[in-house]
Amino acid sequence: MNSVQTRSAERALSGGTWLIVCGAMLYSILTVTPLMAAHTAEEWDWTAPILPLVVDAAVVIVVKLDDVLARLGGHGGRWPVVLRWMTGLMTLALNTADSALKKDLVGVAVHAVAPLLLIVTAETSLAYRRAIARAVAALEAEQQAERERREQAARERAAQARAEAREEREHAAQLAREQREHEAALAREQAEREERQHREEREARERAEAAERAERERREREREQREQERERAEREATARLARERADREARERREHQEREERAERERAALLARGPANGKLPEDDARQIVAAAFSAGLSVRSAAELCGWSVGWVSTRYAEHRDPSAGSGVGLHAVEGVGA
């Protein structure tokens, strides 16, 4: 049996099972509803179909889940069996209760047909599904084993073909190797003859080159000696110039240091005068402001030393901070004089 036939059998089993379940549910509702209506208060007559629907819903759940578990090859344990039999027995009891209360044995037998058929169908369909699942698993295992045997045979044939091809390649390679060795022996002999001839020619050429090289080395040594003498003279001249430049730079540094020290003494002398009693001449005031700016004094202190206004001193400070601002010197000078 192939997979198509197995699926067809499963569909037939599933369709028949659900047909019986639906028929039994409909028959049960039609049979049990009058019984429930007779044993229910009049104002609650409309609830009569609820109990058969609940019981039949449990039957549907059991049948569906058993179908799924059977397809998966699983087993739900004892509780699904308890629920299956309990719902079947409840359906049987509800369907035969009315006839049993009336002591109608024929009615009991007639109304027991659908519940008993439902119980037996549920158990039988479950057994069928499990048997089909086992058969399908066995068939798939057999097919898998057959595929593995075919694959193994194909691998063995491929390995044998590779071995034969490898032997052929090794034989051809051996023949080619022997041919190459023979040709290499002939080529070696020819190469040895040519090598002897080339060696003799090379020795003669090397002797000539050695003589020429010796002459060239002699001329090269003479040229190198001349170059060394010229480089020594250049180094001496460079060293003399470097000493002269170093002496000149040292002299300039001393002169610059002396100028700095003299300027520092002059600034100290200007600042040591103390506050001016009146406005000093502009040249003297500018010198005092420059000395105060260099010493880091405040604008007010510089103004006290020179006797000029704070605005004029601020302008001179600005000129020292930014020499490019010298374009406004004349205007500020006039303002300072006016002050």
Side-chain angles (χ1 to χ4, degrees):
M1 177 178 283
N2 55 28
S3 59
V4 177
Q5 294 172 334
T6 303
R7 286 194 297 271
S8 177
E10 289 181 346
R11 285 195 297 270
L13 176 61
S14 180
T17 301
W18 285 110
L19 180 61
I20 293 172
V21 170
C22 292
M25 288 175 59
L26 178 60
Y27 187 78
S28 176
I29 292 172
L30 295 176
T31 301
V32 178
T33 300
L35 175 64
M36 296 303 301
H39 292 80
T40 305
E42 291 183 1
E43 62 271 17
W44 295 101
D45 284 347
W46 59 273
T47 63
I50 294 178
L51 182 60
L53 283 174
V54 170
V55 175
D56 293 337
V59 174
V60 171
I61 291 173
V62 170
V63 173
K64 181 59 179 177
L65 293 181
D66 285 341
D67 184 12
V68 174
L69 286 175
R71 291 177 185 275
L72 297 176
H75 193 277
R78 62 183 179 178
W79 285 108
V81 177
V82 173
L83 179 60
R84 189 166 58 249
W85 278 93
M86 185 176 69
T87 54
L89 293 176
M90 286 180 180
T91 303
L92 177 62
L94 290 173
N95 278 272
T96 59
D98 189 38
S99 298
L101 292 173
K102 296 177 180 178
K103 300 185 184 302
D104 183 4
L105 298 180
V106 176
V108 171
V110 170
H111 289 92
V113 172
L116 291 175
L117 182 59
L118 178 62
I119 295 171
V120 175
T121 300
E123 294 294 330
T124 304
S125 63
L126 179 59
Y128 277 143
R129 289 190 182 96
R130 288 175 178 171
I132 290 173
R134 288 193 297 270
V136 170
L139 179 60
E140 290 178 352
E142 182 179 354
Q143 292 175 352
Q144 180 65 24
E146 181 63 25
R147 285 195 298 271
E148 291 178 355
R149 285 195 296 271
R150 288 197 297 269
E151 292 175 357
Q152 181 64 26
R155 286 195 294 270
E156 291 177 355
R157 289 194 297 271
Q160 183 178 0
R162 287 195 297 270
E164 292 176 356
R166 185 170 58 252
E167 291 177 357
E168 292 179 358
R169 288 195 301 271
E170 290 176 354
H171 181 66
Q174 183 178 0
L175 294 178
R177 187 167 54 252
E178 293 175 354
Q179 178 67 23
R180 286 195 301 273
E181 290 176 355
H182 177 67
E183 293 175 354
L186 296 177
R188 215 168 24 249
E189 294 176 357
Q190 178 66 23
E192 289 176 356
R193 288 194 297 270
E194 293 177 356
E195 180 63 24
R196 283 194 299 271
Q197 182 178 359
H198 291 162
R199 187 168 55 251
E200 293 173 356
E201 294 176 355
R202 187 170 58 252
E203 290 175 354
R205 189 168 55 252
E206 287 176 353
R207 286 192 296 271
E209 290 176 356
E212 182 180 356
R213 188 167 52 253
E215 179 63 22
R216 189 168 56 252
E217 290 176 354
R218 184 183 62 78
R219 291 194 298 270
E220 185 68 21
R221 282 194 300 272
E222 293 176 355
R223 187 181 62 79
E224 289 178 355
Q225 289 177 357
R226 290 193 298 272
E227 289 290 335
Q228 290 175 358
E229 291 175 357
R230 185 172 61 254
E231 290 176 357
R232 185 169 55 254
E234 291 176 355
R235 284 196 300 273
E236 292 176 355
T238 302
R240 186 174 59 257
L241 293 175
R243 286 193 301 272
E244 293 176 355
R245 185 168 56 254
D247 294 340
R248 186 171 58 256
E249 291 176 354
R251 186 170 56 256
E252 291 175 355
R253 282 195 300 271
R254 286 194 302 273
E255 293 175 355
H256 178 72
Q257 184 176 2
E258 290 174 357
R259 286 195 300 272
E260 290 291 335
E261 291 176 353
R262 187 168 55 254
E264 183 64 26
R265 287 193 299 273
E266 291 175 357
R267 284 195 298 270
L270 290 174
L271 297 177
R273 291 181 177 182
N277 295 324
K279 182 184 296 184
L280 298 178
E282 183 176 354
D283 292 339
D284 294 342
R286 285 181 177 274
Q287 292 178 0
I288 292 173
V289 169
F293 179 81
S294 300
L297 297 180
S298 64
V299 173
R300 186 171 296 279
S301 299
E304 292 176 355
L305 291 174
C306 67
W308 286 68
S309 66
V310 174
W312 185 84
V313 174
S314 298
T315 303
R316 305 289 81 74
Y317 267 44
E319 292 175 359
H320 288 295
R321 281 194 295 269
D322 186 8
S324 61
S327 58
V329 171
L331 178 61
H332 291 300
V334 173
E335 293 176 352
V337 172

